[in-house]
Amino acid sequence: GMCFDALGNLLACADGDTEMWLIPAADVARGSLANKQVLFSEHDGRRLNGPNDVWCHPDGALYFTDPFYKRPWWDWDKMPQDGQHVYRRSADGKKLVRVVDSLKQPNGIVGTPDGKTLYVADIGDRKTYRFAIQPDGSLTDKTLFCELGSDGMTIDSEGNLYLTGKGVSVFNPKGEKIDQIEVPE
C-alpha cells in the first residue's frame, strides 16, 4: 500500500523489509528510490509483521495495517508482533502506537478527507469497520461498516468507499453497496 502526504512525498509499505518508507516528492517525479527514508521498522523493540497499507491523516499522522504474510526470503517463520494490528505514527514522528488490536487480519485502510473517520478492512474476517478518530489520534466507536473484507480501498469526494477483491465493490457512506465494478483478468 502507498499514499501521498500533503507535500507530495510517497509513503510506501515495504512489507518485504517490514519497513515504512518515505520517498521524497522529487524522487517520485524521477522514478527514483535514491533518497528513500526508512521511517520505522519496529514497534516496542520488535520487528513489524509487514506494513501492508497506509493512510496519511490531514495532520500528517500515519495510520497503517500490519498483517503477517510470510515471505519466502525471510529468515524467520513466526510473527514478530503478538498479533496483527493497526498502528498510528504521530505527525511529529516521535510516537508509534497500536490503535487497534481487535481484528483478525487488518489489510486495507483509508480515512475521510476531514480526518474524522477511519475505515479498516479485516480481510481475515471478511469485514470492514469504521472508527471515529479522536483529537489525540486514538480510535473509538468501532462499527461494522460492511460484510466484506478488502485488500485495499479508497474513498471518493462523496464519501463512497471502494473495496478491492473480486473486482471493486462500491459502498455509500451508510455501508450500502451501490455498485460493482468488474475487473476482468
Side-chain angles (χ1 to χ4, degrees), residues 160-180:
N160 298 313
L161 207 61
Y162 296 71
L163 282 73
T164 62
K166 293 183 180 178
V168 179
S169 301
V170 185
F171 292 83
N172 67 19
K174 295 178 185 177
E176 301 164 338
K177 188 173 180 180
I178 58 171
D179 201 0
Q180 178 69 34

Side-chain angles (χ1 to χ4, degrees), residues 9-184:
N9 301 308
L10 182 62
L11 301 156
C13 295
D15 72 331
D17 297 319
T18 69
E19 297 173 339
M20 182 68 68
W21 294 350
L22 182 142
I23 303 164
D27 280 10
V28 172
R30 289 191 303 268
S32 171
L33 293 175
N35 299 302
K36 81 169 191 243
Q37 302 167 31
V38 175
L39 296 179
F40 49 84
S41 61
E42 297 182 342
H43 178 259
D44 279 348
R46 290 181 298 197
R47 174 191 335 256
L48 291 165
N49 295 328
N52 184 273
D53 204 356
V54 59
W55 174 70
C56 188
H57 188 276
D59 73 1
L62 303 179
Y63 289 86
F64 71 96
T65 58
D66 189 43
F68 183 70
Y69 296 109
K70 169 72 176 100
R71 304 302 183 197
W73 54 86
W74 288 350
D75 60 359
W76 66 94
D77 292 327
K78 294 186 178 174
M79 186 173 2
Q81 293 293 317
D82 62 359
Q84 301 177 77
H85 309 296
V86 178
Y87 296 87
R88 177 185 181 270
R89 177 186 168 250
S90 61
D92 63 9
K94 294 180 180 180
K95 292 168 103 177
L96 181 64
V97 296
R98 189 176 291 167
V99 291
V100 178
D101 61 5
S102 60
L103 303 178
K104 186 174 181 179
Q105 192 169 36
N107 195 308
I109 191 168
V110 72
T112 55
D114 65 7
K116 294 181 179 180
T117 303
L118 185 71
Y119 295 92
V120 182
D122 187 344
I123 199 167
D125 201 24
R126 298 184 176 136
K127 293 176 173 62
T128 296
Y129 294 94
R130 175 176 38 222
F131 297 86
I133 301 173
Q134 300 305 302
D136 67 357
S138 63
L139 303 177
T140 61
D141 303 325
K142 177 183 175 185
T143 306
L144 179 64
F145 177 73
C146 68
E147 297 269 350
L148 183 66
S150 178
D151 188 29
M153 63 176 78
T154 193
I155 193 168
D156 68 20
S157 60
E158 296 177 11
N160 298 313
L161 207 61
Y162 296 71
L163 282 73
T164 62
K166 293 183 180 178
V168 179
S169 301
V170 185
F171 292 83
N172 67 19
K174 295 178 185 177
E176 301 164 338
K177 188 173 180 180
I178 58 171
D179 201 0
Q180 178 69 34
I181 303 167
E182 297 303 325
V183 180

